[in-house]
Amino acid sequence: MSTPEVPPKKQILLNAFDMSTVGHLSVGHWKNPTDRSATKRKLAYWVELAKLLERGGISGLFLADTNGGFDIYGGDVEESIRRAVQWPVTDPSIPITAMAAVTKNLTFGITASTSFESPFVLAKRFSTLDHMTDGRIGWNIVTSWKKSAFNAIGIDPIEHDQRYAQADEYMRVLYKLWEGSWADDALQPDVDTDTYIDPSKVRHINHQGKHYKLSTRHIVDPSPQRTPFLFQAGASAEGIDFAATHAEGIFVSSPSPEILRAQIEKNRKIAAEKGRDPRSLKFYLSFTPVLGKTDEEAQEKFEALKKNASVVGGLVLFSGWTRIDMYKLPLDEDITTVDSDEARKLRNIFKPTAQTPVWTARLIGEKAAMSDISPSTVGSPATVADVMENWINVADLDGFNLGYVTSPGSFEDVVELLVPELRRRGIYPEAVEPGLTARERVYGKGQTRLRDDHAGSKYKYEVYLEEEPYAT
Amino acid sequence: MSTPEVPPKKQILLNAFDMSTVGHLSVGHWKNPTDRSATKRKLAYWVELAKLLERGGISGLFLADTNGGFDIYGGDVEESIRRAVQWPVTDPSIPITAMAAVTKNLTFGITASTSFESPFVLAKRFSTLDHMTDGRIGWNIVTSWKKSAFNAIGIDPIEHDQRYAQADEYMRVLYKLWEGSWADDALQPDVDTDTYIDPSKVRHINHQGKHYKLSTRHIVDPSPQRTPFLFQAGASAEGIDFAATHAEGIFVSSPSPEILRAQIEKNRKIAAEKGRDPRSLKFYLSFTPVLGKTDEEAQEKFEALKKNASVVGGLVLFSGWTRIDMYKLPLDEDITTVDSDEARKLRNIFKPTAQTPVWTARLIGEKAAMSDISPSTVGSPATVADVMENWINVADLDGFNLGYVTSPGSFEDVVELLVPELRRRGIYPEAVEPGLTARERVYGKGQTRLRDDHAGSKYKYEVYLEEEPYAT
């Protein structure tokens, strides 16, 4: 569609979205003989995936995480376990270096919670990851809401508002460690004086806050990015405010580009009020395309994949996200004929369409198990790219967090079918400049450190002494 | 020395001992132009090291860790930082999969503390490591004593005795998760019933103890070993009792084989009183050989390497280990002429010898910086192997935790010079059976799970219901 004559179009960002578990957003597909989702406990899965994404020029691989099962459906985790819905789950930080060792350009994002570990421990781990990936690491900041996760960790759940206040302090402790502890020139290897580090250039951080106390220098010298590239998702007022302060990449979901546009505008406005360039917040939509060479082939593929969808698994996911216990609904009855709170809520979400004149719990579960409740499209590369361009243009979106239905399968289609089409349209980079950090991959070469207008920059070594913005 | 006619000799175990820091046990050697210790923040260092150790048939790579600097020397961490003495430090769990991906047989041990994170978080991480290394992971259990580390984490230091009581409960929570939560046959993939896991075979752990509360199923399905191979070091009465209960591999240090023999005998006896086969406790001596093709060549190498030793760095280490603040001593005075508490304590440790008729702080620092205060030998492969055989035979030792002076350098010499000599003597395996787990590597093929006489086995899924040995 684009031609060399028109001015360069906005380049989109593509993350592959996965989780070190059997069923992530699409559930039940381990039953597909070609699927390898149940082998993610082995390194081969991750090494092959990383090589594929690198070959396809995909910006990043983002891995979700959780510490508890979904327990709304039926009031317990039984079906989450039985259907392998985000269960079992392994630690996403562990396979990163195996993937980093076989790639040069692929960046990585992993989820970690501010609620479950000491800031020092998290700071050390991410500094290590940033060093060992040559600056290719991002962090998806979550505050955690699952009661089951708090029970697993053995602490009392933190109330929602409180959680974000606590997370805000947590972030500021991290900035002190990552940005404020070491001068850029603290490493001064000098053979003659037997000096490796100048200790006067490694500031001792003494944080005595409301939720955290810490007295130490950061134990890791500055990694390429210092602060990892910061992702966040969170649609509540507190979540949006937190993102407007701390997030550089924001994961969003929305039923339509128009609704999303209003949401993104609002988020950017709040960020601007905080003194940030609103365009420096990059919004990624969760999006699961099912691709074929033609629309017909894609549709046939979708129908074939659907045979393995776990209806109950899909309902487990859907119940977890919406807090509507789908276990209480009959599987095959028209939701308009059921008289219950749950059915009433569903009727607000699922309206009859020409394609689906009657909605049942089974159809909702099947749709959820195909990752087809958040935005999803079935079609040829041109069809899918049209939908993506529409999202980008209408919603003022920056990129996509691409889900999969089968792995291998979906991401291969992205690399082989979708990326070439996006490149043809001039909206995806032809080649990646090698050796960029995660932050440079988003903001451009040279922007390895936090932008100056980011909250964390107030804690940079050179300015922190004067300001002590969180001193007590 | 051995001939094919004599019965097979006891096979020794060899770990390479490293730490993701600049100066580990030998300090100052980053100044050596061929040394790469200062590049451990990059994956290439670890990938090359893993390949070397695999090629040499080394049993395992063991990585130390810490969360705080050494602060006895001069009363602060200044010189620990300046001389890069175990500072900075990166997270040892991060490079493991990069190494696992390029090896088949090398096993890994990493240090983690029971004092700083929720048992659930540690359990998840080690289960992930065990899966992704195909069962090649070990854990060095430490309870942590550095005040600086507690300040970094932001919790009050735990008293020594209390620490081990707390660590004992921590271990039992972990056994419940690793051994007691999942039945061996909980994974029951059945396409017809859309079932991946039978939730009735995943036990909910409800631990309400003195120090820990936890209510969850383990979130990771059983890894090959379930419980990682358990290492521990600890020479206090409480430490020895803890090791006799929980440790499978025990790190020891000793000035002589005779003294070590008594210590090992005592430890085995305590383990036997706890119902364990005393021979199932495997003792590893910290040992740093400097090897040359001949004794002369080794001695020349030692003298050349010594030029880079950091005297102050060595004193930082020595002060940390002994709690004697060496900063208070003049560098170049005979310790017998100094009138101070510190000097008196030193005179009990450093007696005049023909080689060193006069001891000064400088000489002690230099010796410490060459990793030459714990056992060390300079010589040809035959000389070093003689010393090692003497330790094995006199002290009833099982293996060595091999330190290095330079890396690369020291481990290359082990692989190229020492291992062939040990094999010639019939005390080191010629070839490793591929695909063994860390525990099999020590106990022999088939012993992937904890031995039946180990405390953790009381928590195995099949027996735990009946016994509830830590129920409250």
Side-chain angles (χ1 to χ4, degrees), chain A residues 85-309:
Chain A
V85 179
Q86 302 192 5
W87 188 281
V89 181
T90 51
D91 184 331
S93 64
I94 298 305
I96 299 296
T97 60
M99 294 190 279
V102 297
T103 53
K104 292 279 174 213
N105 302 319
L106 183 66
T107 71
F108 308 95
I110 57 177
T111 292
S113 173
T114 57
S115 297
F116 301 139
E117 55 186 346
S118 154
F120 179 85
V121 170
L122 187 139
K124 181 177 173 185
R125 186 167 74 249
F126 273 96
S127 291
T128 304
L129 284 163
D130 199 47
H131 270 304
M132 294 191 179
T133 61
D134 294 313
R136 293 185 281 148
I137 199 80
W139 170 30
N140 176 37
I141 311 159
V142 298
T143 60
S144 303
W145 52 269
K146 282 184 193 154
K147 211 171 158 183
S148 55
F150 283 91
N151 289 339
I153 302 298
I155 57 173
D156 293 328
I158 311 167
E159 286 306 310
H160 182 270
D161 300 9
Q162 184 60 18
R163 237 162 46 212
Y164 278 105
Q166 189 165 326
D168 183 75
E169 186 184 332
Y170 195 97
M171 293 306 298
R172 291 170 197 277
V173 177
L174 293 175
Y175 298 144
K176 288 185 183 182
L177 293 169
W178 284 330
E179 301 290 335
S181 187
W182 291 65
D184 283 337
D185 60 351
L187 258 61
Q188 298 270 10
D190 181 348
V191 170
D192 295 336
T193 61
D194 185 36
T195 296
Y196 186 73
I197 298 161
D198 178 351
S200 75
K201 298 197 170 187
V202 188
R203 180 178 295 131
H204 187 100
I205 303 299
N206 184 23
H207 177 91
Q208 304 293 327
K210 184 171 171 196
H211 305 285
Y212 302 99
K213 291 181 301 179
L214 172 146
S215 170
T216 187
R217 286 153 156 122
H218 189 34
I219 200 163
V220 188
D221 56 303
S223 62
Q225 301 185 110
R226 291 192 175 227
T227 298
F229 186 77
L230 299 174
F231 290 104
Q232 204 249 357
S236 70
E238 294 81 11
I240 289 170
D241 190 76
F242 182 92
T245 304
H246 300 288
E248 302 173 278
I250 299 178
F251 297 124
V252 290
S253 190
S254 181
S256 82
E258 290 75 19
I259 294 173
L260 184 58
R261 179 178 189 98
Q263 186 187 325
I264 289 179
E265 265 177 11
K266 186 178 157 199
N267 287 18
R268 292 202 204 272
K269 187 165 165 284
I270 297 172
E273 287 162 10
K274 290 174 186 283
R276 296 179 68 187
D277 177 352
R279 303 232 53 90
S280 70
L281 280 72
K282 301 297 179 185
F283 292 85
Y284 296 75
L285 178 73
S286 287
F287 182 73
T288 305
V290 175
L291 288 144
K293 289 199 189 70
T294 62
D295 286 347
E296 295 66 36
E297 190 185 293
Q299 200 60 51
E300 278 164 27
K301 191 183 282 182
F302 184 83
E303 293 304 323
L305 291 171
K306 205 158 72 175
K307 293 195 177 72
N308 292 306

Side-chain angles (χ1 to χ4, degrees), chain A residues 335 343-351:
Chain A
I335 58 171
R344 265 184 294 279
K345 286 180 194 161
L346 292 174
R347 290 199 287 267
N348 286 326
I349 308 173
F350 296 97
K351 312 280 185 192

Side-chain angles (χ1 to χ4, degrees), chain B residues 243-260:
Chain B
T245 304
H246 299 287
E248 302 174 276
I250 299 178
F251 297 123
V252 291
S253 191
S254 180
S256 82
E258 291 73 20
I259 293 172
L260 184 58

